[in-house]
Amino acid sequence: MNTWPIEVFTGYLAGFMDGEGCIEIHKSGWGLRIRIANTFKPTLDAIHDRLGIGRVIEYRGRTSKGHQRLFCYEVSNAHDVRTLLLMVRPYLKVKAERADEAMAVIARLQREMDERDARNREIMAAIAAGEMQKSIAQRFGLSVQTISRLKGGHTWPTEIARLNGRIAKNKWFKPCDQVFRLHGRPATESCSDVQSASEST
């Protein structure tokens, strides 16, 4: 596949997605995942190698007699989901509408994250101007603890752990899908689009 023209590859991939794939949007409205399942792993490996995003995993629990091993190429990072959908959308038929829904979710999440960044820059400006943290918290409708974490430049590993604990039943969410960004820091290329479900930033 690495030698195929891009139009041939994306058309093939779109057909594969239409037939063997699924575009999942979590009911919370902030988690996304694309999956393409097949029993022939080399094809999925070739897709992964060409795209350079996502991963190939094996489905477990299919060990009964007569079942072939089943593999899955999956992308669960919103930035990568968008990259993939932008490539295949012109060729999708069966899953075209679902792809549009996913792109709308990503766009909304990006807007919300941009708004959160703008809010955090205002908070940091207020802190720098000497305003009391309690006053800032009241003005922005946040807890004093959240203001304190922003002030301290918290990198959010504990926040991610707490969030994962709250949504532990949703096993396919990964820390990369639950990005907590510092005040005003530009979006990273790897995980820029998924907004946290929690209040803390």
Side-chain angles (χ1 to χ4, degrees):
M1 290 185 192
N2 285 329
T3 62
W4 294 2
I6 187 62
E7 296 83 2
V8 175
F9 173 71
T10 51
Y12 171 83
L13 182 57
F16 208 1
M17 281 185 60
D18 269 340
E20 305 290 341
C22 64
I23 302 172
E24 301 177 8
I25 302 173
H26 192 264
K27 62 183 179 181
S28 67
W30 59 274
L32 303 106
R33 178 172 62 180
I34 293 176
R35 280 183 162 183
I36 304 174
N38 202 266
T39 57
F40 191 63
K41 186 172 181 287
T43 298
L44 301 179
D45 287 334
I47 291 172
H48 176 255
D49 291 343
R50 177 69 185 262
L51 291 173
I53 56 177
R55 62 175 183 163
V56 176
I57 62 172
E58 180 178 0
Y59 280 114
R60 300 297 181 181
R62 292 171 55 88
T63 57
S64 60
K65 188 175 181 179
H67 277 169
Q68 298 185 59
R69 295 172 68 188
L70 183 63
F71 303 92
C72 175
Y73 170 69
E74 72 170 22
V75 178
S76 57
N77 171 286
H79 175 82
D80 294 341
V81 167
R82 179 171 59 184
T83 298
L84 180 52
L85 290 178
L86 286 174
M87 290 179 62
V88 301
R89 177 60 184 86
Y91 304 94
L92 288 175
K93 301 298 183 184
V94 177
K95 295 186 170 63
E97 184 176 345
R98 187 65 167 173
D100 290 342
E101 292 175 5
M103 290 296 290
V105 169
I106 292 172
R108 174 180 57 79
L109 295 174
Q110 185 65 64
R111 287 195 302 272
E112 291 176 1
M113 185 162 283
D114 290 343
E115 291 170 1
R116 187 66 56 92
D117 276 347
R119 183 206 70 184
N120 290 347
R121 284 192 290 270
E122 289 185 50
I123 290 172
M124 293 307 296
I127 292 173
E131 185 176 347
M132 297 295 292
Q133 292 186 37
K134 183 176 181 180
S135 172
I136 297 172
Q138 291 175 341
R139 180 151 60 91
F140 287 91
L142 300 172
S143 68
V144 175
Q145 289 79 10
T146 296
I147 304 302
S148 179
R149 286 195 295 269
L150 283 169
K151 181 181 180 181
H154 204 291
T155 57
W156 309 113
T158 56
E159 300 299 329
I160 292 173
R162 290 171 184 166
L163 179 61
N164 286 340
R166 289 196 296 272
I167 61 172
K169 62 182 179 180
N170 302 318
K171 299 299 183 182
W172 57 275
F173 282 107
K174 299 182 298 183
C176 198
D177 299 315
Q178 300 138 14
V179 178
F180 288 84
R181 285 163 53 197
L182 290 173
H183 42 275
R185 175 170 294 183
T188 63
E189 284 302 305
S190 60
C191 302
S192 64
D193 303 304
V194 179
Q195 175 63 48
S196 162
S198 78
E199 170 202 80
S200 349
T201 211

